[in-house]
Amino acid sequence: AGATWTSPIDRRKMTFVPAGQFQMGSSAEEMGRDEDEASHQLKVDIGFWVDTAEVTNAAYRQFVLSRPEWQKGLVRSEFADSGYLKSWDGNAFPKGADNDPVTFVSWHAARAYAAWAGKRLPSEAEWEYAARGGTSTIYWWGDTFDSKHIRQRDDRSDDGEKRRSNSWGLIDVTGGVWEWTASLFQPYPFSSDGRDDPRAPGKRSLRGGASANGAQFLRLANRNSAEPNATSESVGLRCVE
């Protein structure tokens, strides 16, 4: 756990997550929990690599320059709504935001980026397993909310990244932006029931919560969902391989 390498296409650091077992969801006693978080044990049979941090504007720009069909104003509405890359001016992201998480990307766009980079989107189970970093607590750092572990505006320092890294070295798994997963938003227990089929219609799961969200939404078990063509200022992505 914690070994790193640099992916050759998008040139971004990835961190290794080992195989293992974990308790997915939340207990009935957890404050702020939702009914869709029923606790159940899962086994992750094969270790995998995860983007150490969320995909940035600079990385996403490489993608749209290589795949013009995903540039702002060129994407069909069934793949992304009118808010796609709303904060960008053509192929230019806001000044000084190179290393900020890219936002206003749809599930279809996130999946296309991942494929271009030789990666994929994580399943909802893979996301929570990696985010927990071997813990079983409400947050990756413990059971009490602490805002020092959440990304603050313009917090790009090395010290800030250390405060926001879980035990396996993943940065901003909660409190960065919501991250798309490969999975349909389906009831628990999580299973290999076709919910990760990219051709299946329906809302896709979002995990992680955004910096502006409160403590309830930044719990590791918290779930959200959106239509696959939807975009938002608080939604981005992280890939696995």
Side-chain angles (χ1 to χ4, degrees):
T4 63
W5 83 305
T6 300
S7 184
I9 297 176
D10 60 0
R11 306 302 302 167
R12 303 195 68 247
K13 187 166 77 170
M14 302 192 80
T15 298
F16 187 70
V17 169
Q21 297 185 40
F22 78 112
Q23 202 71 19
M24 188 173 186
S26 62
S27 69
E29 296 76 33
E30 184 168 310
M31 291 289 291
R33 78 184 296 268
D34 296 314
E35 291 300 316
D36 60 14
E37 300 172 10
S39 181
H40 56 290
Q41 190 172 70
L42 279 182
K43 184 178 181 182
V44 177
D45 293 317
I46 302 173
F48 54 96
W49 294 90
V50 186
D51 284 345
T52 305
E54 292 159 332
V55 173
T56 63
N57 284 309
Y60 199 80
R61 184 173 184 271
Q62 296 179 66
F63 161 63
V64 298
L65 292 178
S66 297
R67 298 288 188 273
E69 67 271 23
W70 289 101
Q71 291 177 12
K72 183 175 181 178
L74 299 180
V75 183
R76 303 207 312 260
S77 60
E78 62 262 40
F79 297 134
D81 64 23
S82 60
Y84 179 68
L85 295 181
K86 183 178 179 180
S87 61
W88 288 37
D89 181 7
N91 292 328
F93 49 78
K95 186 177 181 180
D98 306 51
N99 294 317
D100 289 349
V102 66
T103 57
F104 291 107
V105 292
S106 65
W107 178 82
H108 291 292
R111 185 168 169 266
Y113 172 92
W116 164 79
K119 307 176 187 181
R120 59 183 174 83
L121 295 180
S123 70
E124 192 174 3
E126 288 175 325
W127 185 96
E128 187 168 327
Y129 177 64
R132 288 190 174 280
T135 70
S136 58
T137 49
I138 296 174
Y139 308 99
W140 56 259
W141 58 84
D143 287 324
T144 303
F145 182 73
D146 188 342
S147 62
K148 76 179 182 183
H149 297 299
I150 302 302
R151 182 185 180 96
Q152 308 298 321
R153 186 176 294 277
D154 299 325
D155 181 4
R156 303 183 178 99
S157 67
D158 290 341
D159 286 342
E161 288 193 351
K162 288 178 182 177
R163 289 195 305 273
R164 301 185 337 257
S165 299
N166 73 3
S167 60
W168 287 345
L170 303 178
I171 303 168
D172 292 332
V173 290
T174 54
V177 294
W178 290 97
E179 299 173 10
W180 287 111
T181 76
S183 305
L184 290 168
F185 189 74
Q186 299 280 26
Y188 281 176
F190 185 93
S191 65
S192 300
D193 57 1
R195 69 182 66 198
D196 293 331
D197 183 347
R199 299 163 299 180
K203 292 183 177 182
R204 297 284 164 168
S205 294
L206 290 161
R207 301 299 299 267
S211 301
N213 295 142
Q216 174 183 345
F217 298 97
L218 298 176
R219 296 174 303 107
L220 288 166
N222 187 61
R223 309 173 71 199
N224 201 351
S225 66
E227 295 291 345
N229 72 330
T231 65
S232 167
E233 63 180 348
S234 60
V235 173
L237 72 146
R238 183 190 309 257
C239 305
V240 300
E241 184 176 333

